[in-house]
Amino acid sequence: MRARSSARVVAQSVRSRWESREFASRRRGRDLDGRIVEGGRAILQRNDLRIGTDLVETDHDSLGLLFLCAAWQGSHRNRKAMRRFPDVHNPHLTRPDESPLAKTLTVLDTCVRDRRLHDQPGGNWSGWPDTPGVGVSLMATFLWAAQASTNGGRAQLIDQFGVSTLIHEGWLEDPAVTGFTRRRYDRYVELLTRWATDIGTSPELVEMWLVQRWSARVREAREGSHAEPTLF
């Protein structure tokens, strides 16, 4: 199985900006030759999702990476994701001097520093850290970009279309990614890693194939004989 490990997506509004009193971030993109562009339409590659990327100007590296991951997901035509940036402000502040970004920043910084998503004893019912507005899919993308690990192995992206393919192929788990617990995500990572080992490739390519397979099935169902041929 061959596939490009850097998915290319079209990003609108390259000079997109997200800022509040506590944080400001500006994302850029690349042209078809890989040069950084400041405005118009541009490309975000999966291998641009990393700490210290030159596509982000930010007050805080980990939060800047999170928003770059959100831009990549939301612009990808084959992935199911929000087409907007998340609101990561904590709506339940306990002190007047508390930053509404502190809760999310603490989790993101720890993941980047330790390259691991730690267990959350006494935390969220699902086992995921309490990060307002982030969600399972975006958190998994951030963990992958930060080269972090979970109990199941090296963190991998998770997309609803990819999980739908797994369910179609007989995986007996809850099909809704938004309801994935940490344990279920660990089993998902273990499965991708095992399949990748069995066929001599990387888990990233397995995940990409799962997503592309579902998109191909949808196209074939909608367009019938007019759908483009696929390799699946």
Side-chain angles (χ1 to χ4, degrees):
M1 178 174 59
R2 298 183 62 189
R4 289 182 299 188
S5 61
S6 57
R8 291 191 169 193
V9 299
V10 175
Q12 300 281 355
S13 302
V14 175
R15 295 174 67 94
S16 60
R17 192 174 182 87
W18 190 98
E19 58 185 316
S20 67
R21 185 178 48 151
E22 298 82 15
F23 171 76
S25 175
R26 184 166 69 113
R27 284 152 302 284
R28 300 179 291 185
R30 300 186 186 278
D31 62 17
L32 293 176
D33 294 320
R35 294 186 294 264
I36 294 177
V37 294
E38 297 284 348
R41 296 168 66 89
I43 291 172
L44 292 178
Q45 295 179 319
R46 187 189 294 219
N47 58 12
D48 282 317
L49 305 182
R50 63 183 188 278
I51 285 289
T53 177
D54 49 7
L55 296 186
V56 177
E57 295 177 0
T58 179
D59 296 340
H60 204 289
D61 285 344
S62 64
L63 200 53
L65 177 60
L66 181 76
F67 280 94
L68 190 66
C69 290
W72 181 85
Q73 275 191 322
S75 300
H76 202 300
R77 63 181 182 179
N78 289 332
R79 291 184 177 270
K80 183 177 178 62
M82 295 187 300
R83 308 301 179 186
R84 58 178 174 80
F85 292 119
D87 182 359
V88 296
H89 289 85
N90 179 11
H92 305 295
L93 300 180
T94 58
R95 303 188 318 272
D97 61 338
E98 183 180 1
S99 167
L101 299 177
K103 181 178 287 188
T104 298
L105 284 174
T106 298
V107 173
L108 299 183
D109 287 347
T110 300
C111 291
V112 170
R113 183 191 67 221
D114 299 342
R115 291 193 174 183
R116 182 165 186 82
L117 179 60
H118 295 286
D119 293 329
Q120 304 291 315
N124 243 344
W125 66 269
S126 65
W128 291 95
D130 189 1
T131 48
V134 177
V136 173
S137 183
L138 181 54
M139 175 57 73
T141 303
F142 174 84
L143 292 171
W144 178 85
Q147 301 182 12
S149 297
T150 70
N151 294 334
R154 167 79 155 83
Q156 298 298 327
L157 275 62
I158 185 168
D159 184 270
Q160 185 61 64
F161 291 160
V163 172
S164 295
T165 297
L166 285 177
I167 300 300
H168 181 265
E169 298 298 331
W171 197 45
L172 302 178
E173 293 283 359
D174 189 325
V177 168
T178 54
F180 262 50
T181 62
R182 275 288 309 281
R183 285 187 177 182
R184 191 174 298 139
Y185 177 72
D186 286 343
R187 290 196 293 270
Y188 165 83
V189 171
E190 288 172 355
L191 177 63
L192 263 58
T193 302
R194 185 170 69 250
W195 281 7
T197 300
D198 289 345
I199 61 179
T201 188
S202 69
E204 286 81 0
L205 291 184
V206 174
E207 191 273 341
M208 289 171 61
W209 178 84
L210 291 171
V211 172
Q212 292 174 7
R213 172 59 177 154
W214 188 259
S215 296
R217 285 174 52 81
V218 170
R219 286 196 302 272
E220 290 168 355
R222 289 175 177 171
E223 303 174 21
S225 60
H226 297 291
E228 295 182 5
T230 69
L231 298 178
F232 306 114

